Amino acid sequence: MKKFAELANYERNVSKNIYKYNAYRKAAGTLAALSYRVKNGEEAKKLPGVGEKIAKKIDEFLQTGKLQKLEKINADGISAPINLMTRVSGIGPSKAKELVDAGIKTLEDLRKNQDKLTHHQKIGLKYFQDFEQKIPREEVRRLETSLKSVIANLDKEYILTICGSYRRGKDESGDIDVLITHPKFTSESMDAKNKGGMLKNIVKHLEKEGIITETISIGNTKFMGVCRDPAESSKPFRRLDIRVTPSDHYYCAVLYFTGSDLFNKNMRAHALKKKFTLNEYTLKHLTLEGLPGNAELITSEEDIFSKLGLPYKKPEERNS
Ligand code: DTP
């Protein structure tokens, strides 16, 4: 339900109540996944993620066509501009509030006040319209082919996976999340400088091919920037993140960056119940004192599920 998505945005961007943000998102996801429409709150309460308060809002909406809470939010003069500011890549809820408090409420205002923006935020503003447009699956697939071909020319052994919503089989994605590893690159064998060299070399070649068009930031393991396949110059510019990861961390990273974020949260919570700690690098047993032990040997995503006693879920089954 679109109203719950709006409430979720408000909770994340304005109230900064992540708990409520997740609750509304979960309810919105549950309702959107139904092949029918619920008739009332009572019926909705039987669904996962729908409690008393959300059921009441469903009744209110079905009876009046509105939600008082949203009406108030939309009329308060600050929530709508804060939400707008957070749509600029690089602007989070705190920065958005700071800008709105300083009277900067429109994209036009932002353009006149670029001195208040970081390099990332300036790029976010420059490509605002482009970054708002979803990326069709076919376009990501073609870019995947181009990326693979460029890095294979550098070293045939590179392994590249596009994660995020694309890997979960979605028809459209918000951005492109790329993970790269190399069998010889392990957490033992390479120091930060080696890793940085590898990433910088990859980025340099993607720039030379005209695929990467702007850099937002680049460190030893993470590049954030902008891309467009030169063969598709009529298409919008897209946000691209590239991470290089040692091969012994690769599958934890692939799992994490495939998401969805709600799926990750549930999996991490499950891991904790099983006395494990799971993050984008490793899976570790917790000792009796509750401290992380040695990293488990992981050579596939299946390994992670199996060590946690969970049935394997294909990426397409990880959408909630
Ligand atoms: P979109 O199509 O909007 O890009 P996405 O690819 O699922 O959707 P992101 O690109 O924002 O989402 O992030 C990629 C993955 O990284 C996401 O699916 C799961 C992981 N991730 C990001 N943020 C978090 C988080 N806060 N908690 C857990 N996992 C996260």
Side-chain angles (χ1 to χ4, degrees), residues 14 45 49 51 73 79 107 115 125 129 143 156 171 178 181 200-201 275 277 279 288 292 297 302 307 312:
V14 187
K45 255 197 314 193
I73 290 168
S79 295
L107 296 181
D115 55 316
L125 179 62
Q129 313 288 353
L143 191 77
K156 278 198 192 53
D171 290 337
V178 175
T181 195
K200 284 186 184 96
N201 193 35
K275 302 269 180 291
T277 167
N279 58 26
L288 287 176
L297 176 66
E302 281 87 341
K307 283 182 194 278
Y312 177 69

Side-chain angles (χ1 to χ4, degrees), residues 134 163-166 168 172-175 177 256-261 264-265 268:
K134 292 279 185 186
C163 299
S165 46
Y166 172 72
R168 300 199 308 275
E172 302 181 316
S173 297
D175 60 9
D177 299 298
Y256 181 87
F257 291 108
T258 296
S260 70
D261 58 350
N264 287 351
K265 284 190 180 99
R268 262 185 324 215

Side-chain angles (χ1 to χ4, degrees), residues 159-229:
I159 301 168
L160 179 150
T161 308
I162 300 194
C163 299
S165 46
Y166 172 72
R167 187 156 182 264
R168 300 199 308 275
K170 292 279 186 186
D171 290 337
E172 302 181 316
S173 297
D175 60 9
I176 301 159
D177 299 298
V178 175
L179 270 184
I180 300 177
T181 195
H182 189 286
K184 293 199 187 78
F185 169 25
T186 69
S187 49
E188 297 275 292
S189 72
M190 282 176 95
D191 62 15
K193 208 165 142 254
N194 294 146
K195 291 184 221 166
M198 180 168 141
L199 179 60
K200 284 186 184 96
N201 193 35
I202 291 171
V203 168
K204 190 176 90 188
H205 280 82
L206 291 172
E207 279 172 345
K208 211 168 95 201
E209 295 296 326
I211 297 175
I212 287 181
T213 59
E214 303 243 25
T215 296
I216 291 173
S217 61
I218 181 161
N220 286 329
T221 57
K222 183 178 178 192
F223 162 86
M224 290 173 75
V226 184
C227 72
R228 189 171 68 181
D229 203 319

Side-chain angles (χ1 to χ4, degrees), residues 27-42:
T30 301
L31 294 171
L34 297 175
S35 55
Y36 60 94
R37 291 286 153 249
V38 289
K39 284 195 273 317
N40 52 48
E42 204 48 41

Side-chain angles (χ1 to χ4, degrees), residues 256-318:
Y256 181 87
F257 291 108
T258 296
S260 70
D261 58 350
L262 284 179
F263 176 85
N264 287 351
K265 284 190 180 99
N266 289 334
M267 191 139 171
R268 262 185 324 215
H270 177 88
L272 281 177
K273 275 195 209 133
K274 296 263 171 165
K275 302 269 180 291
F276 277 99
T277 167
L278 174 66
N279 58 26
E280 70 249 56
Y281 310 108
T282 51
L283 175 69
K284 290 177 174 173
H285 237 310
L286 290 170
T287 62
L288 287 176
E289 297 81 41
L291 297 170
N294 290 333
E296 298 285 315
L297 176 66
I298 303 289
T299 57
S300 66
E301 278 186 309
E302 281 87 341
D303 275 354
I304 308 168
F305 286 84
S306 124
K307 283 182 194 278
L308 292 174
L310 289 170
Y312 177 69
K313 281 206 171 173
K314 288 189 271 187
E316 309 87 75
E317 296 169 323
R318 303 181 202 160

